[in-house]
Amino acid sequence: MPVTTIEWLDNKVKLIDQTKLPGELVHLHIDQVEVLGEAIKKLRVRGAPAIGIAGAFGVLVGVQHFNGDDKGKFFSELDRAVTYLRGTRPTAVNLFWALERMRRTAEVNKEKTISQIKLLLFAEAQKIFFEDQETCRALGRHGAALIPNPATIITHCNTGALATADFGTALGVLFTAHTQGKKLHVFVDETRPLLQGARLNMWELMQEGIACTLICDNAAAFVMQRQKIDCCIVGADRIARNGDTANKIGTYSLAVNAQKHGVPFYVAAPISTIDFSLATGREIPIEQRAAEEITDGFGPEGLRRRTAPPNAVVYNPAFDVTPHELITAVITEAGVIRSPYGRHLPELQSRS
Amino acid sequence: MPVTTIEWLDNKVKLIDQTKLPGELVHLHIDQVEVLGEAIKKLRVRGAPAIGIAGAFGVLVGVQHFNGDDKGKFFSELDRAVTYLRGTRPTAVNLFWALERMRRTAEVNKEKTISQIKLLLFAEAQKIFFEDQETCRALGRHGAALIPNPATIITHCNTGALATADFGTALGVLFTAHTQGKKLHVFVDETRPLLQGARLNMWELMQEGIACTLICDNAAAFVMQRQKIDCCIVGADRIARNGDTANKIGTYSLAVNAQKHGVPFYVAAPISTIDFSLATGREIPIEQRAAEEITDGFGPEGLRRRTAPPNAVVYNPAFDVTPHELITAVITEAGVIRSPYGRHLPELQSRS
């Protein structure tokens, strides 16, 4: 059973504080929108699908304590929560998609009573949660068919149970292949600056008993040069209509190196990650994060040893965009999509 | 004036403990071979040319306190120091080259008195030191001619004053271009795992007033994709006869990305870095370093927060090999060498 990263429990959002992993397993119990927003901004909860679920639960948190029968006030409270949560992170589209589902659920039921609307919002949030579980399972099955046996694989950033409501997207594919008895060895990029690979992928893979080796991001090319790598597999934060894919910074470098070495490069993501409104990846906004993630990234809080001079100028984009021509296939819950993405991805729009 | 990284002072090796930078500027005064060897192993002194000088000074440290006139014992003391120092780091060839010069100096003068041999060893070590200064200056001049004005450049690992007896190799090229009035902006890869870029390049470039921006290694490809980069410039730890170049892990990934984006990729290194005995880079031994450099790399000593689960398997090669076909030119003190390297590099052998 995968670890439960996020769930709705006792009228609160219960989630693992992922910034504490792998050292400590700490759960947060959140019943204020601002606290949830802070958890999203600080990457206590992260991974595009999990952020979507956190957003939906965040809307519940925002309206559940609303008292009275002033529907105008109720809707302005709801709008306030949605607007605030939309602003927490700019790149992963699943957040906007989940918030829009919540907003629309209230909107189309606005003639109902406030307590009925609250119940319907609760049902919609749970639906988003359970749909993500089913999505992970279907995506895992489709993707596992692409994994040979035995297989040596490189991954980048965390895309496992900690990033979703189930066992993950890209890592879910590997968990499925492992369950099918395939013998895997996974090279795990540490994923600077926040080390989601070192801290989270290694933890998840070791718990499942899958052989894994931690490497620095900049060693992936050397690994591809010196040994047979069967594929790279990564997740996505936003996919444009033409297949261009925004994902954790370093994904593009890995894809360029995969192409150079003839290694298939797979993106595993639910259909909700596809932004059908964007023609190309150029239009995807790239989140810029604080310099301190790079310069003061490690060590116990308050005792961090700075790793750059004072006043160093830092450029810290959280994501990059991999052009579609470097992507061998996009693995979704509806199946494996191949080039030309500009034709095949839009066919999924009716299923989103 | 560049910072003095290493020098012979009061019968000791005086060197900057680079593991303490940029937080503290600490000098060590070493008069025991084993302490010097530990400083090399722990990267307190690093950079291929500086390691060569440290090796030469290390031989002095090893024999200077020798008393008596038993020449057999003197030579066995010398051999012990050379053999021990040879084993401190396996990849940078400058160390072996400098140790061999010291050994040979003693060997060809073995008929002289011990105190005469000591003096000749001292002179040879100082010669290696001053030659490196001249080498840096000449290399800087040749390389600066390749840098346009203005220029945006990406570097990887430290190749400045801290890596040499003068202002550096790859960084020395940039310092020269800056002195010539060229307007530079340098993107500095942080260089995991030991962050020589973040800690040392940023420090050196900021001291010289050159505009520089720190990025994670895995962001270099994205930077090349989104803006005009005029060139990448790196150092080298060992260059095979055909031009294949061993340098800090991540160099190969950067070179692949440079090729993909049509960015010239320059290697700047003294001729002593060329190992004329090796036909290709396949023969260069790659140093494997401790897992803890990756998993426990940051924070004050004793208070490091582990960034991977206990018992995580780690692969930590200190270097990779960039094949010659990805290298636009090798910048040496004798001039700029271009393909076919297999013909042009061996022509430098008489000058080494």
Side-chain angles (χ1 to χ4, degrees):
Chain A
M1 275 295 292
V3 62
T4 302
T5 294
I6 183 167
E7 63 185 319
W8 183 258
L9 193 72
D10 299 335
N11 297 320
K12 291 181 182 165
V13 185
K14 181 183 175 191
L15 55 83
I16 294 175
D17 182 351
Q18 298 187 35
T19 65
K20 298 282 195 288
L21 287 173
E24 300 166 75
L25 183 58
V26 176
H27 287 92
L28 304 176
H29 302 263
I30 297 174
D31 64 355
Q32 288 182 56
V33 178
E34 287 72 17
V35 178
L36 187 71
E38 189 267 359
I40 295 174
K41 285 182 194 172
K42 292 275 175 67
L43 277 56
R44 300 187 196 286
V45 57
R46 42 142 301 283
I51 293 174
I53 294 160
F57 286 164
V59 174
L60 290 189
V61 163
V63 300
Q64 69 172 345
H65 297 302
F66 183 85
N67 283 319
D69 52 7
D70 185 335
K71 221 180 269 183
K73 276 194 182 157
F74 176 81
F75 269 88
S76 81
E77 197 68 9
L78 180 85
D79 281 347
R80 201 185 64 79
V82 167
T83 304
Y84 168 72
L85 290 164
R86 276 186 73 89
T88 51
R89 294 199 69 193
T91 302
V93 75
N94 316 58
L95 175 63
F96 313 135
W97 165 87
L99 290 172
E100 179 55 22
R101 277 180 63 166
M102 295 298 279
R103 201 197 56 73
R104 195 153 30 146
T105 297
E107 183 65 26
V108 301
N109 293 289
K110 66 178 175 209
E111 302 308 327
K112 299 204 169 68
T113 67
I114 287 174
S115 58
Q116 281 174 327
I117 298 172
K118 279 185 179 177
L119 268 178
L120 288 163
L121 285 171
F122 175 78
E124 187 68 14
Q126 291 291 4
K127 198 161 167 242
I128 290 171
F129 178 88
F130 288 114
E131 279 175 10
D132 188 57
Q133 291 197 334
E134 284 171 40
T135 294
C136 286
R137 297 284 155 167
L139 193 158
R141 276 194 307 276
H142 292 304
L146 299 173
I147 307 295
N149 182 23
T152 307
I153 295 143
I154 301 180
T155 63
H156 187 70
C157 200
N158 176 258
T159 54
L162 292 164
T164 63
D166 198 71
F167 64 11
T169 54
L171 230 51
V173 168
L174 303 186
F175 291 141
T176 307
H178 175 68
T179 307
Q180 292 169 350
K182 290 180 182 172
K183 193 168 158 52
L184 308 182
H185 177 207
V186 185
F187 280 98
V188 176
D189 278 1
E190 64 170 353
T191 316
R192 281 288 281 155
L194 294 180
L195 303 170
Q196 290 91 340
R199 295 189 298 108
L200 310 179
N201 278 351
M202 290 298 289
W203 188 72
E204 290 197 37
L205 288 163
M206 288 169 73
Q207 284 203 330
E208 295 293 322
I210 297 176
C212 51
T213 300
L214 179 62
I215 55 174
C216 289
D217 302 321
N218 62 24
F222 184 56
V223 168
M224 289 189 222
Q225 183 198 56
R226 291 284 166 114
Q227 49 190 292
K228 169 101 179 66
I229 300 298
D230 293 288
C231 66
C232 296
I233 186 163
V234 300
D237 288 80
R238 198 185 303 205
I239 302 175
R241 218 160 55 215
N242 71 341
D244 293 353
T245 295
N247 190 47
K248 181 56 55 197
I249 187 73
T251 301
Y252 174 53
S253 179
L254 188 67
V256 168
N257 275 293
Q259 184 189 47
K260 170 82 179 173
H261 296 90
V263 173
F265 191 86
Y266 300 124
V267 170
I271 296 170
S272 58
T273 307
I274 305 167
D275 186 341
F276 296 102
S277 74
L278 301 187
T280 78
R282 272 274 161 191
E283 301 166 48
I284 301 175
I286 299 296
E287 178 179 6
Q288 302 297 326
R289 294 186 58 89
E292 289 69 26
E293 285 186 354
I294 297 179
T295 59
D296 302 73
F298 301 82
E301 244 162 289
L303 283 169
R304 289 180 178 157
R305 182 172 166 200
R306 196 171 160 86
T307 54
N311 305 317
V313 176
V314 176
Y315 174 56
N316 183 18
F319 303 95
D320 57 27
V321 176
T322 300
H324 60 88
E325 63 269 20
L326 298 183
I327 298 167
T328 311
V330 177
I331 304 162
T332 74
E333 67 270 36
V336 174
I337 314 297
R338 293 183 187 264
S339 179
Y341 297 107
R343 193 166 79 218
H344 295 143
L345 286 178
E347 292 168 3
L348 300 174
Q349 187 158 12
S350 61
R351 305 183 60 158
S352 69
Chain B
M1 275 294 293
V3 63
T4 302
T5 296
I6 182 167
E7 63 185 318
W8 184 258
L9 192 73
D10 298 335
N11 298 319
K12 291 179 183 166
V13 186
K14 180 183 174 192
L15 55 83
I16 295 175
D17 182 350
Q18 298 187 37
T19 64
K20 298 284 194 289
L21 286 174
E24 299 167 76
L25 182 59
V26 177
H27 287 92
L28 304 176
H29 301 262
I30 298 175
D31 65 355
Q32 288 183 55
V33 178
E34 287 73 18
V35 177
L36 188 70
E38 189 266 2
I40 295 174
K41 285 182 194 172
K42 293 273 174 69
L43 278 55
R44 299 187 197 286
V45 58
R46 41 143 302 283
I51 293 174
I53 294 160
F57 286 162
V59 174
L60 290 190
V61 164
V63 300
Q64 68 171 344
H65 297 302
F66 184 85
N67 284 319
D69 52 7
D70 185 335
K71 220 179 270 183
K73 275 194 184 155
F74 175 82
F75 270 88
S76 81
E77 198 68 7
L78 181 85
D79 282 347
R80 202 185 63 81
V82 169
T83 304
Y84 168 72
L85 289 164
R86 277 187 72 90
T88 50
R89 295 199 68 195
T91 302
V93 77
N94 316 58
L95 176 63
F96 313 135
W97 165 86
L99 291 171
E100 179 56 22
R101 277 181 62 166
M102 295 297 279
R103 201 198 56 72
R104 198 154 25 146
T105 298
E107 182 65 25
V108 300
N109 293 290
K110 67 182 174 206
E111 301 308 326
K112 299 202 169 69
T113 67
I114 287 174
S115 58
Q116 282 172 326
I117 299 173
K118 278 186 183 179
L119 267 177
L120 288 163
L121 285 171
F122 175 77
E124 187 69 14
Q126 291 292 3
K127 197 161 167 241
I128 290 171
F129 178 88
F130 288 114
E131 280 174 7
D132 189 56
Q133 292 195 333
E134 284 170 41
T135 295
C136 286
R137 297 282 155 166
L139 193 158
R141 275 193 309 274
H142 292 303
L146 300 173
I147 307 296
N149 182 24
T152 307
I153 294 142
I154 301 180
T155 63
H156 187 72
C157 201
N158 176 258
T159 55
L162 291 164
T164 64
D166 198 71
F167 64 12
T169 53
L171 230 50
V173 169
L174 303 186
F175 291 141
T176 307
H178 175 68
T179 307
Q180 292 169 348
K182 291 181 181 172
K183 195 170 156 49
L184 309 181
H185 177 206
V186 185
F187 280 98
V188 176
D189 279 2
E190 66 170 353
T191 315
R192 283 285 282 154
L194 293 181
L195 303 170
Q196 290 91 339
R199 295 189 299 107
L200 311 179
N201 278 350
M202 290 299 287
W203 189 73
E204 290 198 37
L205 288 164
M206 287 169 74
Q207 284 204 329
E208 296 292 322
I210 297 177
C212 51
T213 300
L214 178 63
I215 55 173
C216 288
D217 303 320
N218 63 23
F222 185 55
V223 168
M224 289 189 223
Q225 184 199 54
R226 291 282 166 115
Q227 48 189 291
K228 168 97 180 70
I229 300 297
D230 293 289
C231 67
C232 296
I233 185 162
V234 301
D237 288 79
R238 198 184 304 204
I239 302 175
R241 219 162 52 217
N242 72 340
D244 293 353
T245 295
N247 190 47
K248 180 59 54 196
I249 188 74
T251 301
Y252 174 53
S253 178
L254 188 67
V256 168
N257 275 293
Q259 184 188 47
K260 170 81 179 174
H261 296 91
V263 173
F265 191 87
Y266 299 124
V267 170
I271 295 171
S272 58
T273 309
I274 304 167
D275 187 341
F276 295 102
S277 75
L278 301 187
T280 77
R282 272 274 162 192
E283 300 165 50
I284 301 175
I286 298 297
E287 179 180 4
Q288 302 296 326
R289 295 187 57 89
E292 288 69 26
E293 287 187 351
I294 297 179
T295 59
D296 301 72
F298 301 82
E301 241 160 291
L303 283 168
R304 288 179 180 158
R305 183 173 166 199
R306 197 173 158 85
T307 54
N311 305 318
V313 176
V314 176
Y315 174 57
N316 183 19
F319 303 95
D320 57 27
V321 176
T322 299
H324 60 88
E325 64 268 20
L326 297 183
I327 298 167
T328 310
V330 177
I331 304 162
T332 75
E333 67 271 35
V336 174
I337 314 298
R338 294 183 187 265
S339 178
Y341 298 107
R343 193 167 78 217
H344 295 145
L345 286 179
E347 292 167 4
L348 300 174
Q349 187 158 12
S350 61
R351 307 184 59 157
S352 71

